[in-house]
Amino acid sequence: MTIAPPALSVFETLESEVRSYCRSWPAVFDRAQGSRLYDEDGHAYLDFFSGAGALNYGHNNPVLKRALIDYIERDGVTHGLDMGTTAKRAFLETFQNVVLRPRDLPYKVMFPGPTGTNAVEAALKLARKVKGRESIVSFTNAFHGMSLGSLAVTGNAFKRAGAGIPLVHGTPMPFDNYLDGQTPDFLWFERLLDDQGSGLNKPAAVIVETVQGEGGINVARPEWLRALAELCKRQDMLLIVDDIQMGCGRTGAFFSFEESGITPDIVTLSKSIGGYGMPMSLCLFRPELDVWEPGEHNGTFRGNNPAFVTAAAALEAYWADGQMEKQTLARGEQVEAALRAICLEHSQLGASYRGRGLVWGLEFEDHEQATKVCRRAFEHGLLLETSGPRSEVVKLLPALTTTPEELDEGLRILARSVRETA
């Protein structure tokens, strides 16, 4: 009989088998600061996972922590539903002045609930309400959340199977380069839309990630996104950009779609919009789409006021002067150079890399290699996860505040881990 270590026994005996990340990183973490986590024995781990993108500004960022502590100490409102509060007003004004106005974005702001899938569900419901149609088009290898509506537009077969019921009203189309450039972009999609015998119900909207994080770090070209936006306009479909993981500066600009020059009809944000890792999400949409009746869509925890405080502090600290975007792009070049060197050194592995800003993927022909690399990296004190439908991609998601020295340290561990598992 195998007895679990005492430190882990309560997790193994009491917590559900559904837990996942803890299986990749068998440690009990106790504290964190910046780009490092520390377990209860004092061992340090460099974090290239960043809470799945919820910690773009690092763990316990001192600027955000100070704002949060000050708010709590003065007995600021913690839970506010959708009531007016000083914290919500400060966030909305900051978001408007720092993010929306400088980009000439006309969006109304909706607080649908605390998680990313809440924002996606609201976006899908709104699109259907506006257009009076049920069908939503998504893309191969997409990931939009784990609730039923979001799962219906998610590609991963394993995650979809967990629903336990048929997932309907969603239709997948090929993501950029899914067919290796052998078919012109959107030829199949538009043919189905124009053919009365295709069997495709007229969609209310199309939902897309500009970079598919969970799907394998698949990067859409700007011209592909522009063509998609034009197709949606031509065919009277709304364009929803899911920027939950790639927004808030992950790809460089605050919104990942900025590089392409498009203006989506609806945008979802979560993860790092709260700044400090606290639950918060937004659904942004053009004013003419604001057809909600009061209370028609709500949620108990859409008024997470401490998250409003840290969100506003993050925008003021990192997005008021344009320096964060430049820094992220420079850090991205550092990562790209290291991944290029790894692929050249291990050409026999058939490795390739891709990414934007500070989200990168390292893919191997042997689909088990990525898991081996991540496991060895953990042994050397680096937290990495895999992505892709077969976990074939090593996913790099360091905090935007990671220093060049920390990036170099982590990339050296990654290179060593590839070398030792090759």
Side-chain angles (χ1 to χ4, degrees):
M1 177 178 177
T2 301
I3 300 176
L8 292 176
S9 61
V10 70
F11 305 119
E12 295 183 354
T13 61
L14 187 59
E15 192 178 359
S16 166
E17 291 299 317
V18 78
R19 64 193 189 281
S20 59
Y21 294 121
C22 59
R23 300 180 191 275
S24 300
W25 306 319
V28 178
F29 296 103
D30 179 54
R31 61 189 181 90
Q33 209 289 315
S35 290
R36 297 189 191 275
L37 279 158
Y38 301 86
D39 69 17
E40 62 183 351
D41 296 320
H43 299 125
Y45 298 84
L46 190 57
D47 186 1
F48 272 24
F49 181 62
S50 301
L55 295 166
N56 280 1
Y57 312 107
H59 295 271
N60 286 303
N61 182 289
V63 175
L64 312 187
K65 180 166 64 175
R66 184 72 264 160
L68 178 59
I69 290 173
D70 290 346
Y71 183 76
I72 292 172
E73 285 186 337
R74 73 169 185 80
D75 291 332
V77 173
T78 297
H79 177 268
L81 294 166
D82 66 359
M83 296 184 293
T85 64
T86 55
K88 184 201 277 192
R89 181 176 60 199
F91 167 73
L92 285 170
E93 290 174 347
T94 304
F95 190 70
Q96 183 177 48
N97 294 331
V98 174
V99 176
L100 296 181
R101 278 180 179 159
R103 293 162 179 81
D104 197 26
L105 293 172
Y107 298 134
K108 297 288 289 292
V109 179
M110 176 183 178
F111 299 98
T115 71
T117 198
N118 290 146
V120 170
E121 296 282 1
L124 300 180
K125 183 191 286 189
L126 179 61
R128 288 169 170 141
K129 181 177 174 64
V130 168
K131 291 299 181 183
R133 308 177 204 136
E134 297 177 356
S135 177
I136 303 289
V137 165
S138 58
F139 291 95
T140 50
N141 290 311
F143 179 81
H144 296 291
M146 297 295 281
S147 52
L148 293 181
S150 301
L151 269 181
V153 291
T154 287
N156 188 286
F158 173 74
K159 292 181 172 65
R160 289 175 63 88
I165 62 171
L167 297 170
V168 296
H169 308 308
T171 303
M173 290 291 166
F175 191 71
D176 191 11
N177 204 40
Y178 184 76
L179 300 173
D180 300 319
Q182 298 177 21
T183 302
D185 295 334
F186 308 115
L187 175 66
W188 170 244
F189 189 3
E190 192 147 29
R191 180 70 61 85
L192 291 176
L193 289 168
D194 291 337
D195 184 359
Q196 295 299 308
S198 71
L200 176 66
N201 293 329
K202 182 78 172 182
V206 175
I207 186 168
V208 67
E209 304 155 274
T210 67
V211 180
Q212 294 182 325
E214 298 302 311
I217 318 301
N218 305 311
V219 182
R221 294 165 296 146
E223 56 266 32
W224 186 86
L225 291 169
R226 286 192 290 271
L228 175 61
E230 292 165 3
L231 173 63
C232 287
K233 184 176 182 180
R234 193 163 60 246
Q235 295 284 352
D236 187 34
M237 303 178 296
L238 297 178
L239 176 60
I240 305 169
V241 168
D242 181 342
D243 235 4
I244 287 165
Q245 189 167 93
M246 298 305 156
C248 302
R250 176 54 58 181
T251 64
F254 185 85
F255 294 106
S256 70
F257 56 81
E258 290 183 52
E259 180 188 31
S260 67
I262 66 173
T263 302
D265 298 295
I266 303 175
V267 180
T268 59
L269 287 176
S270 187
K271 293 189 183 286
S272 278
I273 188 60
Y276 202 70
M278 289 189 294
M280 176 178 171
S281 76
L282 304 178
C283 185
L284 313 176
F285 40 82
R286 296 182 184 273
E288 60 269 25
L289 303 181
D290 194 6
V291 297
W292 295 114
E293 296 291 335
E296 190 174 13
H297 186 90
N298 55 30
T300 302
F301 292 99
R302 66 196 185 280
N304 185 354
N305 281 251
F308 297 156
V309 171
T310 52
L315 295 178
E316 291 170 349
Y318 294 104
W319 293 100
D321 60 5
Q323 291 305 305
M324 176 59 80
E325 179 176 353
K326 296 176 182 177
Q327 175 179 297
T328 298
L329 294 175
R331 301 282 197 273
E333 292 176 359
Q334 183 180 349
V335 175
E336 184 177 12
L339 296 182
R340 184 185 306 117
I342 290 172
C343 290
L344 287 173
E345 180 183 351
H346 301 284
S347 57
Q348 80 280 5
L349 296 177
S352 61
Y353 64 92
R354 53 187 176 267
R356 282 177 59 197
L358 275 175
V359 52
W360 290 86
L362 179 62
E363 182 175 5
F364 299 93
E365 287 184 355
D366 178 356
H367 296 159
E368 297 181 359
Q369 182 69 20
T371 299
K372 295 176 183 177
V373 168
C374 290
R375 187 177 298 124
R376 183 58 59 90
F378 174 77
E379 294 171 359
H380 293 312
L382 176 66
L383 301 186
L384 290 168
E385 251 298 350
T386 61
S387 72
R390 296 173 297 275
S391 299
E392 72 274 21
V393 179
V394 175
K395 181 180 183 181
L396 285 76
L397 211 66
L400 307 186
T401 52
T402 302
T403 66
E405 293 75 21
E406 289 169 331
L407 265 185
D408 184 62
E409 177 187 349
L411 292 167
R412 281 189 278 108
I413 293 174
L414 172 60
R416 177 183 176 185
S417 301
V418 174
R419 195 175 302 119
E420 291 177 351
T421 57

